[in-house]
Amino acid sequence: MLLEIKNLSKGYLSKKAVKNISLTVEQGKIYGFLGPNGSGKTTFMKMVAGLLNPSSGEILVEGNNVGVKSKELTAYMSTENFIYPYMKIKTVGEFYKDFYKDFNMERYKELIAYMDLEMDMKVSSLSSGMASKMKIAVTLSRDSKLIMLDEPLNGIDLVAREKILNTIVKCANDDNTIIVSSHLVDEMEKILDQVIFIKNGELVLMGDAETVREERGKSIVDLYKEVYA
Ligand SMILES: Nc1ncnc2c1ncn2[C@@H]1O[C@H](COP(=O)(O)OP(=O)(O)OP(=O)(O)O)[C@@H](O)[C@H]1O
């Protein structure tokens, strides 16, 4: 099992953001981590990435507690701006290469070109959509076992969304797992193997997308509307 979560909870001062979630994630699949704003997706991902400490519960990445080894196996794209604005796109790649031995510079170059960006563009000159595309490219250029993308479609125009979804599919393989958080279920549905619904910090549904569609007799989008209505 690539990722095992047992009874995971996280409370902020006045609020419980993640409530007793247990789940397992297999290798070789694309998971949709779906839920509206404030449902706990970011909090969950940050705990798995080792950026936030859980209040209770256990996280195992390939059997490793969160630490140096789990972080080596995990690539996480935050919604925050985590790239230095004074860098050029090329320098961002070089910076990542120095940090991560699994960074694939050739793929980075390809993805940057596919996203209609150029290596000598300065990060501070990118529009927010262009900066998002660069963040996705740099994250997916690592050969990580576990890749978590937090809201990769936010603020991205329609044509670029297609490109991002294609890129996610292209970078998925039998050795990795990609977890994509989103509330844009309509667009996400076609690329998902597995779905995880989270509501008010609780896991409400999890399963194989095809099986869920067959068993419930409706699309993931319709089910999502029903769960969150
Ligand atoms: N640092 C914090 N301090 C206090 N409360 C927080 C903090 N971060 C998040 N929360 C609260 O925890 C809940 C879950 O937030 P989280 O960001 O994990 O949700 P999300 O599903 O990622 O939402 P979004 O799609 O809006 O990013 C929300 O009610 C939010 O207000």
Side-chain angles (χ1 to χ4, degrees):
M1 207 51 63
L2 183 65
L3 175 64
E4 259 186 288
I5 304 289
K6 295 180 198 158
N7 307 112
L8 187 66
S9 294
K10 172 73 183 174
Y12 295 108
L13 280 181
S14 56
K15 165 126 201 160
K16 215 160 181 205
V18 169
K19 300 173 191 162
N20 203 31
I21 290 189
S22 296
L23 55 86
T24 54
V25 163
E26 290 170 48
Q27 204 166 299
K29 301 216 160 106
I30 302 177
Y31 285 75
F33 198 39
L34 311 174
N37 294 132
S39 51
K41 305 182 299 294
T42 300
T43 303
F44 178 93
M45 285 187 163
K46 282 193 169 168
M47 287 193 282
V48 175
L51 298 169
L52 271 180
N53 287 324
S55 305
S56 59
E58 196 175 12
I59 300 167
L60 295 172
V61 183
E62 263 198 342
N64 303 282
N65 286 310
V66 174
V68 174
K69 183 67 193 168
S70 79
K71 289 178 190 177
E72 220 175 273
L73 298 167
T74 306
Y76 168 63
M77 189 198 81
S78 165
T79 53
E80 285 152 54
N81 290 329
F82 55 90
I83 306 281
Y84 292 116
Y86 60 82
M87 287 183 170
K88 284 187 172 179
I89 289 181
K90 181 167 180 272
T91 337
V92 174
E94 288 162 357
F95 188 70
Y96 259 66
K97 191 155 178 44
D98 286 343
F99 264 94
Y100 299 109
K101 56 176 183 262
D102 61 8
F103 189 79
N104 183 329
M105 187 57 95
E106 282 314 304
R107 188 181 319 135
Y108 182 60
K109 286 181 191 160
E110 271 172 39
L111 291 181
I112 288 297
Y114 182 65
M115 298 286 191
D116 302 312
L117 299 170
E118 282 162 30
M119 286 305 235
D120 62 1
M121 287 174 169
K122 214 170 161 198
V123 173
S124 58
S125 72
L126 302 178
S127 71
S128 64
M130 288 157 94
S132 295
K133 290 198 279 185
M134 187 205 53
K135 274 165 49 178
I136 290 160
V138 82
T139 308
L140 288 174
S141 295
R142 283 186 59 196
D143 282 319
S144 309
K145 273 278 173 81
L146 176 62
I147 298 165
M148 293 186 292
L149 304 175
D150 199 357
E151 304 278 6
L153 300 182
N154 270 13
I156 309 268
D157 66 65
L158 210 64
V159 177
R161 281 185 194 177
E162 255 335 280
K163 289 202 167 197
I164 287 166
L165 293 176
N166 289 342
T167 304
I168 294 173
V169 171
K170 234 180 358 189
C171 293
N173 60 50
D174 289 346
D175 287 330
N176 67 17
T177 294
I178 307 183
I179 305 179
V180 191
S181 86
S182 189
H183 53 265
L184 300 166
V185 185
D186 212 348
E187 283 147 89
M188 291 280 301
E189 174 157 7
K190 55 180 179 275
I191 70 157
L192 300 178
D193 300 311
Q194 298 272 330
V195 291
I196 303 169
F197 281 18
I198 179 169
K199 187 178 184 180
N200 297 328
E202 288 178 77
L203 182 71
V204 287
L205 184 146
M206 175 165 186
D208 174 75
E210 199 49 56
T211 313
V212 169
R213 277 191 285 264
E214 271 170 25
E215 282 177 1
R216 311 272 176 143
K218 55 186 69 158
S219 67
I220 302 297
V221 180
D222 287 340
L223 198 57
Y224 183 85
K225 286 182 191 153
E226 199 179 286
V227 169
Y228 297 103

